[in-house]
Amino acid sequence: MALTRGDDYPIHQTPEPIAYGGTDRNFYDRYFFNGYHPTEGEDFFAAAFGVYPHLNVTDGAFVVVRNGVETALHVSGQLGDRMDMACGPLRIVVVEPLHKLKILVDSPEHGLKAEVEFESRSAPIEEPRFIRRNGTRAFMDYTRLTQNGRYTGWIELDGERRSVDGFVGTRDRSWGIRPVGARDSQDIIPAPKPQFYWLWSPSSFENGSFFFHSNEDALGRPWNTRAVWVPDQADEEGFDHLNGQAKVNWKSGTRHAVDAVVELTDDWGKPAGKVEFKPLYNFQMMGLGYTHPKWSHGLLHGPLAVEREDIVLAEADPKMPFNLHVQALSEVIYTDADGTVRKGRGVLEQLVMGPHQPSGFSDILDMAK
């Protein structure tokens, strides 16, 4: 039976029941959260939860970084009612759409429990639609909303409970088409050369948020990008849309940033300030399933599978493909067009593979000199 509770809400996008997500087997629908203290310490947490209707799979992860160790709780199971956003010990609750959400974790046998609530600081931004093809095949076709907020609650790791009251961070919602699940059995011909350049840098300041991202081709030309300053409590009319160009200094022997600056201009090309990023450490996105060799998104692990993984961050080899994708917890300085300086924190997410001329990368995995 395809009918579920979702069918009693006016949210259909096709003539089919909500259980069916269009026609592409790679359709997905996902939540993401991260959180950190706005001024001090290195504690960090993140969560992800996704559904894959055509694969009949749901999965997710909850991750905590303490004392240089990234502890990840991976979950995967069979998709049931899409309105029941839970998989094993991980649950997402929408308390008030576009404003309040909860993350609940209850896995004492794996040493992890949490009750964390996100409350938005402003309306979300809608990033430009991401459309990318490999030949005639859709590689990506999705929409994402992004929103900064403040957290309350607690996280318990191995019996030590710490409050996250006052933490800040970002949540996003994306849905559409990405590569998920098992690899397609029939390769694209002619085979495209692997290339992907991605920076994403939501940042939190005392009275507002800065958002910047850029997808670029091998020559460094952006094919999807946005820069926007969002004051607290603002709706879309109060957003300050800008143009940004990132310059990254890469750490020798890696594809990870030592530091970066986003130079801002207005719509007439006039300088409009800059945002500087100084990473403190790299959070490995594989803890949330991104590029993970075992827990990659949408893979089938049976009716329910739960596993804990501990990653010592200082021992993560930056040359391994599954370690390329990181979010660097960063100190951030935003100097606007009037010379006003704001200091805050954010993440500098990086996933760079293949050639990128401005960075000096010419092959799939050559590293910075």
Side-chain angles (χ1 to χ4, degrees):
M1 183 175 178
L3 296 178
T4 63
R5 287 179 297 161
D7 290 297
D8 222 7
Y9 293 84
I11 57 176
H12 295 85
Q13 298 295 312
T14 76
E16 301 280 12
I18 287 295
Y20 303 139
T23 59
D24 196 297
R25 60 88 70 186
N26 283 343
F27 185 86
Y28 78 98
D29 213 327
R30 181 176 300 140
Y31 294 80
F32 166 87
F33 301 83
N34 70 20
Y36 45 88
H37 193 276
T39 60
E40 60 189 22
E42 295 190 352
D43 279 14
F44 184 92
F45 72 86
F49 179 85
V51 300
Y52 315 92
H54 290 282
L55 305 178
N56 205 32
V57 168
T58 183
D59 60 22
F62 185 80
V63 180
V64 184
V65 177
R66 290 184 185 174
N67 304 318
V69 178
E70 178 176 326
T71 299
L73 184 71
H74 301 282
V75 300
S76 175
Q78 183 174 322
L79 178 62
D81 188 334
R82 287 173 67 182
M83 298 295 288
D84 183 21
M85 296 175 293
C87 183
L90 174 64
R91 177 178 294 274
I92 307 296
V93 179
V94 178
V95 179
E96 183 180 341
L98 303 183
H99 183 49
K100 286 185 181 181
L101 297 93
K102 280 187 176 180
I103 309 165
L104 304 175
V105 182
D106 188 14
S107 191
E109 64 271 35
H110 296 94
L112 264 170
K113 300 176 71 175
E115 290 187 12
V116 176
E117 183 170 271
F118 171 97
E119 182 171 347
S120 68
R121 300 174 60 176
S122 67
I125 68 167
E126 179 184 343
E127 296 178 2
R129 185 167 170 176
F130 293 79
I131 302 176
R132 196 71 169 169
R133 295 184 181 276
N134 286 332
T136 58
R137 191 177 303 176
F139 173 62
M140 296 192 310
D141 183 359
Y142 69 89
T143 293
R144 176 166 46 227
L145 69 82
T146 307
Q147 187 174 43
N148 275 4
R150 304 186 191 278
Y151 289 98
T152 55
W154 52 267
I155 298 171
E156 185 176 301
L157 174 63
D158 293 332
E160 182 184 359
R161 181 173 295 192
R162 295 186 187 179
S163 171
V164 297
D165 289 358
F167 273 41
V168 296
T170 304
R171 70 111 178 181
D172 75 37
R173 284 277 294 109
S174 66
W175 58 91
I177 297 166
R178 286 187 188 179
V180 297
R183 181 181 173 182
D184 197 307
S185 60
Q186 183 165 329
D187 289 334
I188 299 168
I189 48 175
K193 294 182 179 180
Q195 193 278 331
F196 195 73
Y197 181 95
W198 170 243
L199 297 178
W200 190 68
S201 58
S203 304
S204 299
F205 300 87
E206 184 177 0
N207 61 348
S209 303
F210 175 75
F211 301 92
F212 169 79
H213 76 264
S214 187
N215 271 126
E216 299 178 11
D217 67 15
L219 296 177
R221 298 173 299 194
W223 57 266
N224 193 300
T225 186
R226 167 160 289 183
V228 57
W229 167 254
V230 178
D232 280 357
Q233 311 307 319
D235 58 17
E236 188 173 358
E237 292 183 356
F239 296 177
D240 184 12
H241 293 276
L242 301 160
N243 300 297
Q245 182 174 8
K247 298 178 181 178
V248 180
N249 290 322
W250 302 101
K251 182 178 180 181
S252 178
T254 78
R255 289 195 175 203
H256 296 154
V258 173
D259 54 41
V261 59
V262 177
E263 300 283 356
L264 301 172
T265 57
D266 63 19
D267 286 339
W268 293 269
K270 182 180 177 181
K274 62 181 179 180
V275 184
E276 301 167 273
F277 294 84
K278 186 65 178 178
L280 300 174
Y281 66 84
N282 289 334
F283 161 74
Q284 297 293 151
M285 290 291 281
M286 67 174 288
L288 294 175
Y290 294 85
T291 69
H292 198 291
K294 177 179 179 180
W295 294 99
S296 186
H297 299 145
L299 290 178
L300 180 63
H301 293 275
L304 180 64
V306 183
E307 183 176 283
R308 171 172 167 166
E309 180 179 24
D310 292 285
I311 303 166
V312 179
L313 292 177
E315 298 175 1
D317 184 352
K319 296 181 177 64
M320 298 300 292
F322 51 78
N323 285 333
L324 288 178
H325 195 180
V326 299
Q327 281 193 354
L329 179 63
S330 301
E331 304 286 0
V332 188
I333 299 175
Y334 176 24
T335 306
D336 68 17
D338 297 326
T340 301
V341 177
R342 300 178 177 92
K343 294 184 179 181
R345 277 184 161 190
V347 296
L348 181 63
E349 183 173 329
Q350 309 146 57
L351 175 56
V352 181
M353 63 178 63
H356 187 251
Q357 190 178 88
S359 300
F361 302 136
S362 59
D363 206 345
I364 182 171
L365 280 177
D366 56 329
M367 299 295 166
K369 300 293 190 288

